[in-house]
Amino acid sequence: MKKRMVKLIVGLVLVGISIMYLHAVIVVNDPYSPFPAKTSIQVGDMITDSASELLQSASEAFLFLNEVEIAGKNGLNVGSALQRVDLAAARVEQALNLFKNIIAVGHEAGYEKNRIGKLKDFSYGQFARDNGLSEETMNEVSAYLAKGNVLGFYRRHARNLQELLNTLQLIKTDLLAGKLSENQVLWSLLQQYSSTMMFGNYASLVFYKI
């Protein structure tokens, strides 16, 4: 049962990642942040670095799921699985630290009014419909961006990263105890990567459009 569950998880992950690559812009990868010019460049660089860390974390997490998949033949290689989870967690933690810095720098600099005005005037629902996007996820994004609350959006993304890190640490604790986490935890891991990436991805699409 667990093996079939993990096969489905891996399949859904591959589909989700392929969809995000088709969108061309991944995670929260917006080099034109709504801050004054010098700060915008600094924030853009940190956002790109954070996006890279999250994608590398996802890669390690999917390799961990592969360890679970092949465990049906010879048993789980706990050492290898633990190494993958450790690397995934370290990458997420680095992504989170970068966003904490982004929030601090952005708060200090303040917004660039023209770009915030474009965010407030943007038609989020129509954009989602025109591009076949999830209106539910776009509504979550627009709840922040349509109000010009970019820092609020960044804080929400940071909370998503913290929740993802918590799940990885739970899986690590189980592995250190010599056991594999329950299916529900593995599903949670998949869902959190998916929702965190999509949340950031949709915001990126908006920023590149305006």
Side-chain angles (χ1 to χ4, degrees):
M1 178 65 179
K2 180 167 283 190
K3 185 175 181 180
R4 289 196 298 271
M5 182 77 74
V6 173
K7 283 183 178 179
L8 183 55
I9 288 174
V10 173
L12 289 172
V13 165
L14 293 175
V15 170
I17 291 298
S18 66
I19 289 172
M20 279 184 278
Y21 271 101
L22 287 173
H23 282 316
V25 184
I26 306 177
V27 197
V28 189
N29 189 13
D30 169 39
Y32 305 107
S33 302
F35 304 106
K38 185 176 180 180
T39 300
S40 184
I41 294 172
Q42 180 185 4
V43 167
D45 287 345
M46 287 192 289
I47 286 175
T48 299
D49 290 344
S50 181
S52 175
E53 292 290 345
L54 181 55
L55 287 170
Q56 290 180 75
S57 172
S59 176
E60 294 295 343
F62 303 154
L63 288 171
F64 158 69
L65 291 175
N66 182 64
E67 290 289 342
V68 177
E69 171 66 16
I70 63 178
K73 294 181 179 180
N74 302 307
L76 180 67
N77 184 331
V78 175
S80 181
L82 184 58
Q83 181 181 32
R84 295 300 184 188
V85 172
D86 258 339
L87 289 171
R91 293 291 191 182
V92 170
E93 187 169 16
Q94 182 60 21
L96 176 59
N97 289 336
L98 283 163
F99 253 86
K100 288 178 179 178
N101 290 336
I102 289 166
I103 292 165
V105 169
H107 179 76
E108 179 70 22
Y111 294 132
E112 196 282 305
K113 293 183 179 179
N114 181 57
R115 195 153 171 79
I116 290 295
K118 290 182 179 180
L119 285 174
K120 290 181 177 180
D121 293 338
F122 190 76
S123 180
Y124 295 88
Q126 189 62 50
F127 182 72
R129 290 188 291 273
D130 290 346
N131 292 276
L133 305 177
S134 164
E135 290 193 42
E136 180 181 356
T137 300
M138 186 58 79
N139 286 340
E140 293 177 2
V141 171
S142 67
Y144 297 96
L145 300 189
K147 296 177 182 178
N149 187 11
V150 177
L151 287 174
F153 171 83
Y154 288 167
R155 292 186 184 99
R156 167 66 184 276
H157 184 68
R159 288 197 299 273
N160 290 343
L161 291 172
Q162 182 63 64
E163 290 172 4
L164 181 56
L165 180 59
N166 292 344
T167 300
L168 287 165
Q169 290 173 337
L170 173 59
I171 293 171
K172 177 180 176 179
T173 298
D174 285 343
L175 289 172
L176 287 171
K179 64 179 182 179
L180 183 62
S181 299
E182 295 297 323
N183 287 336
Q184 183 178 358
V185 177
L186 298 180
W187 270 113
S188 179
L189 181 67
L190 165 66
Q191 291 168 346
Q192 287 172 21
Y193 271 110
S194 177
S195 61
T196 299
M197 288 179 165
M198 190 174 292
F199 185 69
N201 174 241
Y202 279 26
S204 293
L205 294 173
V206 170
F207 274 108
Y208 273 95
K209 184 68 175 178
I210 62 175

